[in-house]
Amino acid sequence: MQRPIPNKLFFKIGEVCEITDTQPYVLRYWESEFQALAPAKNSSGQRIYRRRDIETVLRIKQLLYEEGFTIAGAKKRLEAELTRLNLELRTTV
């Protein structure tokens, strides 16, 4: 079950797993497959996720598990959505 995203700047992988109801190995695999999911790493090498990373994880999960996309199809859809969003943001500024 998905939890609300707490109002914080950074999240550890365990917190992201709880919020998104996914496993760490799934998140690491998605990072290798989806360019949009690229959390930073702290000085000790641990992944540090931001709110937008969690939102991306939730969207990937929705595309794969609810909408039935393949990894390749989800990549294309997510890239198209992010491109469209970036274009919309540029035109409103």
Side-chain angles (χ1 to χ4, degrees):
M1 176 176 212
Q2 178 184 322
R3 293 180 19 198
I5 302 172
N7 191 18
K8 310 176 24 170
L9 287 178
F10 301 107
F11 301 85
K12 293 182 179 179
I13 194 167
E15 294 172 305
V16 177
C17 290
E18 282 185 38
I19 294 165
T20 62
D21 192 27
T22 54
Q23 295 295 316
Y25 71 91
V26 173
L27 292 180
R28 289 189 295 268
Y29 175 70
W30 288 352
E31 287 172 25
S32 71
E33 293 292 326
F34 294 89
Q35 275 188 317
L37 184 58
K41 293 190 179 180
N42 65 15
S43 59
S44 64
Q46 292 180 324
R47 289 167 171 79
I48 299 176
Y49 294 83
R50 293 181 184 258
R51 175 179 278 284
R52 73 174 177 268
D53 295 317
I54 296 173
E55 291 167 351
T56 300
V57 168
L58 292 170
R59 182 62 180 136
I60 292 168
K61 185 177 176 182
Q62 180 182 26
L63 289 169
L64 295 174
Y65 299 147
E66 295 174 23
E67 297 181 28
F69 280 83
T70 61
I71 292 283
K75 275 190 218 183
K76 288 180 185 176
R77 174 60 70 92
L78 188 61
E79 288 171 10
E81 289 175 0
L82 292 174
T83 299
R84 185 173 45 247
L85 180 63
N86 286 335
L87 288 174
E88 289 173 3
L89 288 174
R90 285 187 205 152
T91 58
T92 59
V93 174

